Amino acid sequence: MLNKPVLVESLIVFIIVLFVHAVVWDRYSWCAVALAIQAFYVQFKWDRLLQLGGAVFQFRTAANSGLLPASMVIPLLGIAMKERCKSAGIVYFERFGIVVASTGMLVALFLSVIAVGITKPVPTNTCILTGVAGSIIIYTMKHSLTVSEVIEVLEVLLIFVYLSMILLYLLPRCFTPGEALLVLGGLSFVLNQLIKRSLNVIEGRGDPIDFFLLVAVVGVVLLGLFFTVLFIFMDSGTWISSMFFHMMTAVLGLGVIMPWLYRLIQRNPLLWLLKFLFQTQTRVYLLVYWTFLAASACGVVFYQNAKRSSESKKHQASTITRKYFHFIVVATYVPGLIYDRQLLYVAAVLCLAVFIFLEYIRYFRIKPFGQTLRHLLSLFLDERDSGPLILTHIYLLLGMSLPVWLFPRSCAPKGTLSGAGALVPYSGVLAVGVGDTIASIFGSTMGEIKWPGTKKTFEGTMTAIFAQIIAVALILIFDSSVNLNSNYAWILVSVSLVSLLEAYTTQIDNLLLPLYLQIMFM
């Protein structure tokens, strides 16, 4: 039987799906309901496989499979984007939303079929349910998508299959099945979009900052795959290997990534980036302010490690200490969201590339900083960092940045959506920066009443909801572009549901919560 936390987590996800269905009420929302029902049953099969050690790959063990909450994110994002762009009359992005929703459903179905296929004995009822849901989704796709869109969906599925086989083998215990679906599904879609736009660059469609995101993400992932294969045949911890690492990074960056970006934006990428960053005085002030905050974050790391050296009994940083970084990230993102969202968009991409590159240096023990990074970051590990990679800080950055990157600018008149949609770019700040942080601090210090079956407390959840409402009020005061049009009840319901999800989910909340809050706001 499923335990209580999983049942409550599933119930919250079902409520969110039904909210979206009630608002949209079309063939795609019916498909989302069918996908949610079958994912709930298949999630039980995945959980059983993980408990018995029967999964094909090694997944993160301190959590359930998370298939249901992860399966619904991409389809619901696509449906929400479709509705927003349809109401704005932007046909191209309306079709794009349909492709996103169809791709998410097909990838989730594929993961479900794998679970059903490797479960012994074969679960007949779950097979029938998966077949019915799959038939509904494929029938809808057949009558909704053009031939080129079907090909695009299948391309993403193919990339997902190959990426899953490679990365889940190379990175054991780094993901649950649900987290793998979210991360690898997103990577597959980004890679397919980059290939598609590279082939159709003559059309001149797209913003340079969007191309910058695609090339940066794909570039750092391909860089990691290249060095992973390379260091199978040589020791990565020697000076010769380290010199080769830095040399090949420069060669691949200047010889592959830069020309690729040049082809897409039709101008020198370095000159474009410098001009973009220092275009206005406001941007210069923001960059100086962010540099100060980055130095402060480094200071926290060094200070905590110095305390560990002097206190031999202390081996790990406390929850409150780790939440310092959440406060720093909130202080980073809020001014960017208020004064210059495009600069925040590009700065977040640069920061993601730097974080991943530093993780490569730590993981491969690249001299001269690899071993130092291993020592410094080991203090901040928690149970979610059970694999060879440390991903929690990258997930924090992604959780704050994804609402900014995924904001449908082309479908938003004057750069903002109406009603609760105006808060979409703030989803990461509210869900992770404010809600998750306050819940952890108050729950760990003053919480006494625990939610059944979890370590999270009622007091932590209630203070998180209250803190997010206060944060919304402050956003209304300081950001003149936000106009909620009296949608306060919807905002309260959205914040409450996502806070409850934080209390019951065992998945990476830094990644999951902002996406669900964004879906509700959209």
Side-chain angles (χ1 to χ4, degrees), residues 83-123:
E83 285 300 301
R84 280 293 181 177
C85 295
K86 181 180 178 180
S87 62
I90 312 295
V91 177
Y92 175 81
F93 285 101
E94 180 189 348
R95 299 302 304 175
F96 183 74
I98 294 173
V99 171
V100 171
S102 302
T103 302
M105 291 178 190
L106 204 61
V107 170
L109 270 177
F110 173 77
L111 208 60
S112 297
V113 170
I114 289 179
V116 172
I118 61 178
T119 300
K120 303 298 179 186
V122 176

Side-chain angles (χ1 to χ4, degrees), residues 50-70:
L50 295 178
Q51 291 167 5
L52 299 176
V56 178
F57 300 103
Q58 295 183 57
F59 292 102
R60 191 160 65 86
T61 55
N64 67 311
S65 65
L67 186 65
L68 173 59

